[in-house]
């Protein structure tokens, strides 16, 4: 029986690894230029710490505040974002910035791991976490050992258990991630996830691809 469960675990990890490879193939060639430190556009301050996709010269600046443990954020990442990327980010119409708004210490831990990775691996790792929320996210799932589950996610990204623990326990990174959430609340009145700031305008909550398409096209029409 133990051997059977071991084999099941190997298969599950293999599936996760294939998802990461597929993501890298799809997203690997996308530009990810960042603004220089302290630059500003549409009243949004952008820094070298931001993780972004697209051209900074795009007419639309779209900042997403999300949490790795947020199921609505996962839905957006898996079902809507790929379409936005294909139709707006990759075509030079949208510059997309992703920021974590931590809802719990688990979000801080997950983001700490993501920021330990090379920049080009940041988005694939976040995407993998969203696709595998039931395997590590204790919110709504039975996860007896959350850190152990995150170590397993890190292993798929090529991180050792020691590296994962070092990243999670980095107090400087913890403080920086927490501050991003605090600044979002104080500066832009963000109080939940997902929240989007598009050309300085707040857009909150769940929506469909059709909603986003209409919204972004309307924004573009004003340019």
């Amino acid at each position: 029986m133990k051997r059977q469960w071991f084999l099941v675990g190997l298969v599950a990890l293999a599936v996760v690894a294939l998802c990461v490879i597929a993501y890298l193939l799809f997203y690997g060639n996308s530009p990810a230029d960042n603004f220089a430190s302290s630059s500003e556009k549409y009243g949004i301050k952008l820094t070298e710490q931001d993780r972004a996709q697209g051209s900074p010269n795009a007419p639309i600046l779209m900042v997403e505040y999300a949490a790795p443990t947020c199921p609505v954020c996962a839905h957006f990442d898996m079902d809507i974002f790929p379409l936005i990327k294909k139709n707006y980010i990759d075509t030079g119409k949208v510059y997309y910035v992703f920021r974590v708004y931590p809802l719990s210490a688990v979000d801080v831990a997950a983001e700490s791991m993501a920021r330990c990775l090379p920049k080009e691996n940041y988005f694939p790792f976040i995407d993998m976490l969203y696709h595998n929320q039931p395997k590590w996210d204790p919110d709504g799932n039975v996860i007896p050992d959350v850190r152990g589950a995150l170590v397993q996610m890190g292993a798929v990204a090529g991180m050792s258990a020691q590296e994962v623990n070092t990243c999670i326990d980095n107090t400087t990174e913890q403080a920086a991630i927490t501050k991003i959430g605090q600044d979002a609340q104080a500066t832009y009145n963000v109080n939940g996830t997902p929240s989007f700031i598009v050309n300085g305008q707040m857009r909150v909550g769940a929506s469909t691809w059709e909603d986003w398409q209409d919204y972004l096209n309307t924004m573009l029409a004003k340019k």
Side-chain angles (χ1 to χ4, degrees):
M1 181 63 72
K2 289 183 179 180
R3 174 180 171 80
Q4 182 181 4
W5 281 111
F6 176 73
L7 291 175
V8 170
L10 286 179
V11 171
L13 285 176
V15 171
V16 173
L18 286 173
C19 290
V20 173
I21 293 171
Y23 189 99
L24 286 170
L25 288 173
F26 184 72
Y27 291 87
N29 295 324
S30 62
D33 299 323
N34 290 320
F35 277 77
S37 179
S38 300
S39 63
E40 186 171 322
K41 191 173 183 178
Y42 300 111
I44 303 295
K45 292 182 179 179
L46 302 165
T47 76
E48 294 176 351
Q49 292 299 108
D50 283 325
R51 296 293 184 262
Q53 296 186 44
S55 170
N57 298 318
I60 292 180
L61 169 62
M62 176 177 172
V63 180
E64 178 185 4
Y65 282 99
T69 60
C70 164
V72 179
C73 303
H75 162 68
F76 176 82
D77 173 84
M78 294 185 289
D79 299 332
I80 300 175
F81 179 76
L83 294 170
I84 291 178
K85 183 179 187 305
K86 177 182 177 181
N87 292 280
Y88 295 95
I89 298 174
D90 291 348
T91 56
K93 299 173 183 176
V94 168
Y95 183 60
Y96 169 79
V97 177
F98 179 84
R99 294 174 177 172
V100 165
Y101 181 87
L103 303 176
S104 70
V106 181
D107 290 311
V108 176
E111 172 71 348
S112 295
M113 291 172 62
R115 287 190 169 270
C116 269
L117 295 167
K119 282 187 177 181
E120 62 269 21
N121 293 343
Y122 177 87
F123 281 109
F125 184 74
I126 292 294
D127 182 68
M128 182 189 70
L129 290 181
Y130 279 138
H131 276 80
N132 293 275
Q133 269 186 348
K135 297 179 181 178
W136 64 271
D137 178 9
D139 185 12
N141 303 296
V142 180
I143 310 292
D145 180 7
V146 175
R147 183 174 288 235
L150 286 172
V151 167
Q152 288 187 336
M153 294 295 101
V156 178
M159 303 173 73
S160 68
Q162 182 177 351
E163 287 173 329
V164 171
N165 286 321
T166 299
C167 294
I168 291 177
D169 294 332
N170 185 331
T171 55
T172 300
E173 196 66 65
Q174 291 173 6
I177 295 166
T178 301
K179 188 175 187 303
I180 289 173
Q182 292 171 341
D183 288 346
Q185 191 171 34
T187 307
Y188 308 116
N189 200 30
V190 173
N191 55 26
T193 58
S195 292
F196 302 88
I197 303 176
V198 185
N199 285 5
Q201 299 179 18
M202 179 68 75
R203 181 176 171 83
V204 180
S207 56
T208 66
W209 158 239
E210 290 75 18
D211 292 335
W212 274 107
Q213 199 171 25
D214 290 343
Y215 181 78
L216 292 174
N217 287 341
T218 299
M219 298 288 287
L220 287 169
K222 296 178 181 178
K223 296 298 173 183

